[in-house]
Amino acid sequence: GESVGLHLPTLSVQEGDNSIINCAYSNSASDYFIWYKQESGKGPQFIIDIRSNMDKRQGQRVTVLLNKTVKHLSLQIAATQPGDSAVYFCAENPAGGGADGLTFGKGTHLIIQP
Amino acid sequence: DTGVSQNPRHKITKRGQNVTFRCDPISEHNRLYWYRQTLGQGPEFLTYFQNEAQLEKSRLLSDRFSAERPKGSFSTLEIQRTEQGDSAMYLCASSQHAGPHNEQFFGPGTRLTVL
């Protein structure tokens, strides 16, 4: 079936470097995408979202890029800090699906090395 | 704390027992969602409510699972005759607006272990 997935299970970066986390989705009807951060023992925390009529959106230290042609989503984190260590999930909300439940990918574990 | 709260945070039970979890959403939010998350996986959608009405159920929600939101505020998720495969983190989320473009705020989850 259609699903949202991630390319890498673990990403290790040096503190201060920029991080890029990638996500591939297969439902071309999806019109809304979200990145969540989940720390150990906690629920997912909203980071940033993007609608399908946009290809880029920026937040504080984070940027989400959407390439609908190849159905690819990425999260860029600038100047990573120790507090950025977590599992990052992309999620989609398929258009016209009736339910507003999100479909999540498997997650990328971001490790920040000092 | 004005976020989504869930109780209990941890539950250990024996196979065959019934368990019930509670979720208190953010007060002005009219949508409430339940998800299940197993280790190393992303959350999987189970069901959601618009006020007190349960509008959608995933095929993951077997007949042993039942969710209620009687007054449109807090919600309960009950699992009857628990099985070891039910062991997971059960997450609740709420959102303020209807429609597909809404930010869902998640609670800390209830971790269920079925022995």
Side-chain angles (χ1 to χ4, degrees):
Chain A
E2 293 180 323
S3 64
V4 177
L6 290 164
H7 293 311
L8 292 173
T10 302
L11 176 65
S12 182
V13 298
Q14 294 287 329
E15 182 179 349
D17 286 352
N18 297 335
S19 303
I20 300 176
I21 300 172
N22 295 305
C23 177
Y25 66 95
S26 57
N27 187 345
S28 56
S30 293
D31 71 341
Y32 179 57
F33 303 89
I34 314 100
W35 281 100
Y36 280 92
K37 171 187 180 183
Q38 188 173 26
E39 297 172 289
S40 180
K42 297 183 179 179
Q45 177 187 0
F46 175 92
I47 301 174
I48 192 167
D49 60 359
I50 189 167
R51 300 179 184 180
S52 60
N53 60 353
M54 303 170 68
D55 53 19
K56 181 179 180 179
R57 190 162 186 226
Q58 288 185 292
Q60 187 177 9
R61 283 202 306 120
V62 294
T63 301
V64 56
L65 299 177
L66 175 63
N67 186 330
K68 294 181 289 293
T69 302
V70 295
K71 289 185 282 189
H72 184 268
L73 191 69
S74 68
L75 176 70
Q76 300 177 358
I77 305 174
T80 50
Q81 304 167 357
D84 294 330
S85 291
V87 177
Y88 289 80
F89 293 98
C90 64
E92 64 175 328
N93 195 333
D100 286 350
L102 299 173
T103 301
F104 283 79
K106 289 192 167 93
T108 293
H109 185 194
L110 180 63
I111 299 171
I112 310 301
Q113 295 184 345
Chain B
D1 188 350
T2 56
V4 177
S5 63
Q6 293 186 246
N7 288 288
R9 293 293 310 277
H10 303 274
K11 178 70 177 178
I12 300 174
T13 191
K14 293 182 180 178
R15 188 177 53 189
Q17 298 294 306
N18 299 342
V19 293
T20 300
F21 311 139
R22 175 175 170 133
C23 170
D24 287 88
I26 295 171
S27 60
E28 67 269 23
H29 286 187
N30 51 31
R31 284 218 161 178
L32 186 148
Y33 309 79
W34 285 100
Y35 291 82
R36 181 179 71 185
Q37 185 177 26
T38 53
L39 197 62
Q41 303 295 316
E44 297 171 294
F45 169 69
L46 294 177
T47 188
Y48 81 93
F49 293 84
Q50 171 77 29
N51 298 314
E52 67 275 7
Q54 188 172 13
L55 297 185
E56 190 78 20
K57 295 181 187 180
S58 152
R59 62 180 181 275
L60 295 175
L61 209 68
S62 77
D63 57 5
R64 295 184 298 104
F65 288 66
S66 62
E68 295 182 344
R69 195 183 183 197
K71 298 181 180 178
S73 56
F74 73 91
S75 175
T76 58
L77 177 68
E78 181 183 17
I79 308 174
Q80 296 181 325
R81 305 181 303 281
T82 53
E83 302 172 355
Q84 288 184 326
D86 297 331
S87 295
M89 176 78 84
Y90 290 85
L91 293 162
C92 175
S94 69
S95 68
Q96 187 169 13
H97 301 293
H101 301 149
N102 64 86
E103 179 179 342
Q104 296 183 21
F105 295 84
F106 283 82
T110 294
R111 180 166 296 284
L112 173 66
T113 302
V114 182
L115 302 176

